[in-house]
Amino acid sequence: MLTFCISSLPCPPPHASIAMDSNSQSNYKLSKTEKKFLRKQIKARHTLLRHEGIETVSYATQSLVVANGGLGNGVSRNQLLPVLEKYGLVDALLMPPHKPYSFVRYRTAEEAKKAYVTLNGKEIVDDLGQKILLYLNFVEKAQWKELGLQALPPGLMVVEEIISSEDEKMLLESINWTEDIDNQNVQKYLKHRRVKHFGYEFHYENNNVDKDMPLPGGLPGICDSFLEKWLKEGFIKHKPDQLTVNQYEPGHGIPAHIDTHSAFEDEIVSLSLGSEIVMDFKHPDGVTVPVMLPRRSLLVMTGESRYLWMHGITPRKFDTVQASKGLQSGIITSDVGDLTLSKRGMRTSFTFRKVRQTPCNCSYPLVCDSQMKETPPSFPESAREASQLEQDYVHRVYEEIAEHFSSTRHTPWPRVVEFLKSLPCGSLVADVGCGNGKYLGVNKELYMIGCDRSQKLVDICRERCFQALVCDALAVPLCSGSCDACISIAVIHHFSTAERRVAALQELVRLLRPGGQALVYVWAMEQEYNKKKSKYLRENRISQGKEEGTSSDTAMPELLVEQVPNVGSRDSECCVSSVTDLPEGGHKARTVTNAKLPVHTNRTSFPSQDLLVPWHHQGNPGEGKPGHPAGAHDPGPVFHRYYHVFCEGELEATCQTLNSVSILQSYYDQGNWCVILQKV
Ligand SMILES: O=C(O)CCC(=O)C(=O)O
Ligand SMILES: [Fe+2]
Ligand SMILES: [Zn+2]
């Protein structure tokens, strides 16, 4: 039988009330349950540290982190707070959105200790009636890095209480969902909601309306007085002639999309009836702004919010909302001291639009189907076009974004470090496409030389006292056979034809001495592999300027520590897979219809192998600028980088065409395909 000295354990078993006395040296025999608990407690500590960077301490403080007691695993503020308050006065309860833990601060360390001893390993029941075990650990401070106050997307407005409860009831009753098709309007059951169209049918197959085929009934007469009123009050400028009624049950949603530019005029308004809901607005760079739409409110989308941002409703049964009643509509602040869960009800929306009769000439050509002929660039058909494409959509972009790009590149990817550390002392190693030089110093025993196409990135390397030079990866100014090893990390995918990718790889081989090795990483088309989403996909949340491929930050599982059997997964808040992926006749911002390169939506699966990936250049926080609340997020300009993402087997197949080299190893590493080559 094992015995433990309690004071040497990182944390005590749950029911040992003497546990936190640091001078307690008595031996304590742990029961089987206590040992099991202890294992889970330690696991929670490790997960918090590894995945979230939260350090727990083994002495009593005022503050605790409550693993599994988070909005992300279905525990609402209303459930958790009374449980915690049994042990003392709660100063603050911080519940970060979508996270499976929360922080509580008691007035005294004594109170926190009481909660720690009594609540650890204790069961509570979440909002869906499922049992959850809490694991508490002391932390120095209950704190959460709040994202700066986010602004609503420009051009977006939510008008509360736009209609009365009586009018709401009347409008809801006016929709007859029982009739199927009565020639006056069109009714459809979609994957995650049902819809009815008036005035014109919206065809989800081509994301457009047939302008020559108005529906005979027009808009329901009952809407007239409301539309007149909104026109008079200035909420809308034009009388709509098309209405889509969407009905969402709890758990339903609508994929993120931009209403087709060529189909509708600028202004789109949506009336929320029956129940509130959170709609997510997503900038092409991946920044997401959740917006609360209370029942009886009107959402008005104009300008940038209508043309550039995608809007969608994540299919789930609960939304993360503010607990206080003060701010009801619009932006959901990041005040984690005031977030909770709200159970969804049946929501019906009336979305009014005006069918466009002339092509759209908005200022967002990259997402404008009317203007797509001019931009974006096409897939290159000659070597000259390929080189031009790379100049415009790789070299120039990196030069422009160099500083911001560099500020997001700190963490060397572990397996690249492993490769560099495995090389013999004194090896000469070329890092072709070295960026800001994050690999140039990882093994001080090597002679490393970096090269990059971007002068600014090379300057950054030199400021860090690394050897670096500007050159094209197709022509590296080093002697053939001069290098013991080479690395090419996230570079080859920027070449836009198969021939140029082969040439870039062959250039690496040229640099190697016989027996020398090259490690190559390229971005993978498959961002989900062996049923596991890459970190790139898992970071699909409020994120910006994050590193693609392997990065230091990871998404959390729903629970920090697994639970008693039968507590399975649920339709949770942690909805990392974006609604954009849901099939519904491709109601998406863009589809690839010709040789034009599609613009990728950051942190979603790739629609095709050749694409433009937006880089959102971080602007200044916006202080001092008119119309910017202090600290508001300034979206800044968006740049597009060309990528060819590699399919499984493609990198190996490409390497097999190279001369004088063999493939030593090939593997998948967090959304990247990788090979180690050896010169023969
Ligand atoms: O339900 C809503 O408010 C929005 C519906 C919508 O975006 C659409 O039908 O295009
Ligand atoms: Fe829409
Ligand atoms: Zn447009």
Side-chain angles (χ1 to χ4, degrees), residues 254 257 259 301 311 351 353 587:
I254 183 168
H257 65 281
D259 287 43
M301 291 183 276
H311 55 280
T351 304
R353 303 174 275 214
H587 193 45

Side-chain angles (χ1 to χ4, degrees), residues 320-335:
T320 302
V321 301
Q322 276 176 233
S324 65
K325 293 285 158 206
L327 204 135
Q328 283 276 300
S329 67
I331 195 127
I332 294 163
T333 70
S334 41
D335 176 4

Side-chain angles (χ1 to χ4, degrees), residues 261-262 307 356 360-365 367-371:
H261 289 205
S262 63
Y307 285 128
R356 187 189 284 280
C360 178
N361 64 349
C362 69
S363 351
Y364 308 94
V367 286
C368 180
D369 61 316
S370 291
Q371 300 176 61

Side-chain angles (χ1 to χ4, degrees), residues 446-484:
L446 306 175
Y447 293 105
M448 284 197 75
I449 181 155
C451 57
D452 202 281
R453 196 68 179 63
S454 157
Q455 177 71 56
K456 284 203 183 131
L457 286 171
V458 166
D459 289 345
I460 291 172
C461 293
R462 290 178 179 168
E463 279 161 24
R464 297 176 168 177
C465 296
F466 295 132
Q467 306 283 341
L469 53 94
V470 177
C471 74
D472 197 298
L474 292 175
V476 181
L478 296 176
C479 295
S480 302
S482 59
C483 298
D484 297 299

Side-chain angles (χ1 to χ4, degrees), residues 305-578:
S305 67
R306 179 268 180 269
Y307 285 128
L308 184 64
W309 292 64
M310 296 206 280
H311 55 280
I313 296 169
T314 306
R316 59 189 172 204
K317 293 189 174 133
F318 290 84
D319 280 314
T320 302
V321 301
Q322 276 176 233
S324 65
K325 293 285 158 206
L327 204 135
Q328 283 276 300
S329 67
I331 195 127
I332 294 163
T333 70
S334 41
D335 176 4
V336 294
D338 188 32
L339 291 181
T340 189
L341 296 180
S342 156
K343 198 164 186 200
R344 281 191 187 168
M346 167 98 89
R347 171 180 181 265
T348 306
S349 64
F350 280 48
T351 304
F352 296 97
R353 303 174 275 214
K354 186 165 168 52
V355 169
R356 187 189 284 280
Q357 300 300 340
T358 52
C360 178
N361 64 349
C362 69
S363 351
Y364 308 94
L366 279 175
V367 286
C368 180
D369 61 316
S370 291
Q371 300 176 61
M372 266 173 203
K373 271 176 208 69
E374 286 87 61
T375 54
S378 313
F379 186 78
E381 278 167 10
S382 65
R384 201 187 55 78
E385 275 179 25
S387 156
Q388 189 63 46
L389 175 74
E390 289 159 22
Q391 256 178 53
D392 294 343
Y393 288 89
V394 182
H395 309 160
R396 234 177 255 167
V397 176
Y398 277 104
E399 203 57 20
E400 295 264 9
I401 67 172
E403 271 172 33
H404 181 214
F405 174 81
S406 174
S407 71
T408 66
R409 274 23 188 196
H410 327 281
T411 325
W413 298 352
R415 292 194 68 173
V416 180
V417 175
E418 196 183 299
F419 174 81
L420 291 171
K421 294 221 161 138
S422 72
L423 297 171
C425 178
S427 297
L428 177 66
V429 184
D431 180 353
V432 180
C434 62
N436 67 353
K438 72 174 183 181
Y439 293 110
L440 296 179
V442 301
N443 182 355
K444 304 270 186 294
E445 313 285 316
L446 306 175
Y447 293 105
M448 284 197 75
I449 181 155
C451 57
D452 202 281
R453 196 68 179 63
S454 157
Q455 177 71 56
K456 284 203 183 131
L457 286 171
V458 166
D459 289 345
I460 291 172
C461 293
R462 290 178 179 168
E463 279 161 24
R464 297 176 168 177
C465 296
F466 295 132
Q467 306 283 341
L469 53 94
V470 177
C471 74
D472 197 298
L474 292 175
V476 181
L478 296 176
C479 295
S480 302
S482 59
C483 298
D484 297 299
C486 297
I487 59 170
S488 162
I489 311 301
V491 175
I492 306 291
H493 52 218
H494 285 312
F495 287 96
S496 58
T497 62
E499 294 75 26
R500 292 169 71 80
R501 292 187 281 275
V502 169
L505 288 163
Q506 193 67 63
E507 181 66 355
L508 285 179
V509 175
R510 183 187 68 79
L511 301 178
L512 292 176
R513 62 157 170 86
Q517 294 184 5
L519 172 68
V520 180
Y521 266 59
V522 293
W523 215 2
M525 173 89 172
E526 297 81 3
Q527 289 297 313
E528 193 168 339
Y529 194 64
N530 284 340
K531 303 220 170 93
K532 225 179 129 200
K533 286 192 165 75
S534 70
K535 285 179 188 169
Y536 176 74
L537 281 190
R538 300 203 316 264
E539 282 174 7
N540 181 2
R541 58 188 167 85
I542 301 174
S543 66
Q544 181 186 2
K546 286 267 182 75
E547 220 158 321
E548 64 255 13
T550 308
S551 83
S552 53
D553 194 356
T554 52
M556 288 294 288
E558 279 192 343
L559 290 168
L560 277 164
V561 179
E562 73 277 12
Q563 297 292 314
V564 285
N566 278 339
V567 181
S569 68
R570 38 166 293 194
D571 189 0
S572 87
E573 285 284 286
C574 272
C575 190
V576 283
S577 62
S578 157

Side-chain angles (χ1 to χ4, degrees), residues 231-281:
L231 270 167
K232 241 207 262 136
E233 289 170 357
F235 295 128
I236 53 175
K237 288 184 196 67
H238 309 283
K239 191 155 179 193
D241 53 11
Q242 196 274 341
L243 164 65
T244 299
V245 179
N246 283 282
Q247 193 168 72
Y248 309 85
E249 304 208 17
H252 281 179
I254 183 168
H257 65 281
I258 299 173
D259 287 43
T260 312
H261 289 205
S262 63
F264 304 113
E265 292 285 350
D266 183 356
E267 200 170 58
I268 295 175
V269 296
S270 188
L271 182 64
S272 293
L273 305 174
S275 180
E276 66 184 25
I277 212 155
V278 171
M279 185 178 270
D280 294 316
F281 282 82

